[in-house]
Amino acid sequence: MNIQDFAEIVKNNVEKKIGKDYQVTVQKAAKNNGVIYTGLCIKRNGLDAAPLIYLDDYFEKYKKNYITLLEVTEHVIRYGRKENQFVDIKRFLNYENVRDKIVYRLINTESNRELLKHIPHVEFLDLSIVFRYLLKEKAFGSASILIYNDHMKLWDVTIEELYESAKENSQRLERPEIKSMVQVLCDIMEDEAPDTYDNDACIEEFSDSMPMYVLSNENRIEGSACMLYLDVIKNFANRIESSLYIIPSSIHELLLVPAEDFTDSGHFKNMIKEVNDTQVKKEERLSYSLYCYDRKKDRISIL
């Protein structure tokens, strides 16, 4: 069985259970770095659109016997019904209704050449700034819609206007957060074993680690866009009195490492390649480049 066969089976099961008030279709979606996802669109009658519910993770779990077809069907139906409550496509037709929820994201330029032909973007080093509309409030998750050239034509706006809206909104809607790697590791350990967790012991265990910090947004979703929050990076560098290596851990987060003279760049470049090749999903890779923030020059560049 392949993902297309799986999707058709789930579609048929959903159709039998969800009733005649919904239309169910299998659709493909292009994601970051050319990755194609397969999903179900469960659209309530009378609505113009509905979010796509991706099935790829469900398929992988099903192949490993972690989940049954019945459980997949129930999950998809429950999610589909909930998602349809928050779709208001009519609001999306007018730019004045959406401009205060336009944010920016970062993707790799070379790995997304085909996608970039169809979406507004601004080049930033070897990356591209793209734009998304936040569909739902934080309480409901972080669903968003990628802005295409057709949307710009519909709204009669320019890339410059999109950029200015995103610049105004992004830090307000997706507030940046910097944590030490030690604290991040301790948070993970606390989540995994809250009854036995000892914060002092955890901090002591990692006390000899290289000073490293994690920069992302509070949701930890596509937080690499925080590289565009230059004031945040500048203020942090001034606080620790050091320039910074900026390591693209994934599209979700960046690692910041204090740097005096950037002489260790080779080590970090090798680390980025190894981690990207072995630990990061293709659709979550941001870049193989090593970046730096030079405190004296107050700018970000590629090393």
Side-chain angles (χ1 to χ4, degrees):
M1 179 187 297
N2 57 34
I3 182 62
Q4 188 64 34
D5 296 332
F6 179 78
E8 291 295 336
I9 293 172
V10 175
K11 170 183 173 291
N12 293 334
N13 289 348
V14 169
E15 285 180 325
K16 292 176 184 177
K17 288 180 173 289
I18 202 168
K20 298 181 179 180
D21 292 335
Y22 293 85
Q23 299 176 27
V24 185
T25 56
V26 176
Q27 296 183 14
K28 300 282 188 178
K31 303 293 286 183
N32 189 42
N33 297 332
V35 175
I36 304 298
Y37 272 27
T38 302
L40 286 189
C41 180
I42 303 177
K43 186 175 68 175
R44 193 173 67 216
N45 294 335
L47 292 180
D48 296 314
L52 193 62
I53 303 169
Y54 300 119
L55 296 177
D56 302 78
D57 286 343
Y58 287 119
F59 182 49
E60 292 303 314
K61 291 178 181 178
Y62 173 73
K63 289 192 297 183
K64 296 175 182 177
N65 295 318
Y66 293 161
I67 193 169
T68 67
L69 278 172
L70 177 60
E71 289 172 327
V72 173
T73 302
E74 291 174 344
H75 287 185
V76 169
I77 289 175
R78 184 164 58 250
Y79 190 72
R81 283 175 171 158
K82 184 185 73 171
E83 290 299 298
N84 272 266
Q85 297 176 36
F86 305 109
V87 175
D88 184 1
I89 199 65
K90 292 179 181 178
R91 281 187 53 81
F92 194 68
L93 301 179
N94 189 318
Y95 189 63
E96 291 304 314
N97 292 332
V98 302
R99 65 184 305 165
D100 63 344
K101 289 191 177 181
I102 300 290
V103 298
Y104 39 43
R105 297 281 193 257
L106 281 177
I107 62 175
N108 187 275
T109 299
E110 187 60 37
S111 300
N112 289 280
R113 288 290 183 191
E114 185 60 34
L115 176 62
L116 290 170
K117 295 177 183 178
H118 308 288
I119 62 175
H121 59 280
V122 177
E123 292 189 2
F124 175 73
L125 303 175
D126 62 338
L127 308 173
S128 289
I129 303 169
V130 300
F131 307 95
R132 300 191 76 96
Y133 168 66
L134 291 184
L135 185 62
K136 298 188 300 181
E137 298 294 340
K138 181 179 175 182
F140 299 110
S142 59
S144 60
I145 298 174
L146 181 63
I147 305 302
Y148 279 78
N149 294 334
D150 289 343
H151 296 133
M152 278 209 313
K153 293 178 182 178
L154 172 67
W155 295 331
D156 190 24
V157 297
T158 64
I159 292 180
E160 289 75 18
E161 289 175 291
L162 279 177
Y163 180 83
E164 287 304 315
S165 292
K167 186 177 180 180
E168 292 175 7
N169 299 331
S170 293
Q171 286 198 52
R172 173 176 58 85
L173 297 175
E174 299 188 312
R175 290 182 294 180
E177 183 178 76
I178 298 178
K179 284 188 174 183
S180 70
M181 179 60 77
V182 171
Q183 189 57 58
V184 170
L185 293 172
C186 289
D187 289 345
I188 293 172
M189 294 178 67
E190 183 177 12
D191 289 340
E192 293 178 346
D195 295 334
T196 59
Y197 174 73
D198 184 324
N199 188 66
D200 291 338
C202 180
I203 292 175
E204 183 177 352
E205 180 178 349
F206 297 110
S207 60
D208 293 333
S209 303
M210 174 189 300
M212 188 176 291
Y213 303 86
V214 179
L215 170 60
S216 185
N217 55 45
E218 291 181 337
N219 293 325
R220 290 285 193 269
I221 302 295
E222 297 195 69
S224 63
C226 291
M227 197 190 300
L228 302 172
Y229 303 170
L230 188 57
D231 59 327
V232 172
I233 294 175
K234 176 181 179 179
N235 291 338
F236 178 72
N238 286 337
R239 180 160 63 86
I240 66 171
E241 300 182 341
S242 175
S243 295
L244 300 164
Y245 286 112
I246 303 177
I247 299 171
S249 177
S250 72
I251 60 171
H252 301 301
E253 61 187 23
L254 307 165
L255 301 183
L256 307 179
V257 180
E260 293 184 8
D261 51 17
F262 303 118
T263 55
D264 292 331
S265 60
H267 165 73
F268 289 109
K269 289 177 181 178
N270 291 335
M271 182 180 73
I272 291 169
K273 185 179 188 311
E274 181 179 353
V275 171
N276 271 335
D277 290 345
T278 63
Q279 304 296 324
V280 183
K281 294 180 180 179
K282 181 180 178 181
E283 63 269 30
E284 295 185 348
R285 290 175 194 157
L286 179 63
S287 176
Y288 280 83
S289 297
L290 174 64
Y291 308 92
C292 72
Y293 171 74
D294 191 313
R295 187 171 167 234
K296 294 180 180 178
K297 297 178 181 179
D298 187 26
R299 72 179 186 186
I300 294 174
S301 58
I302 299 175
L303 285 174

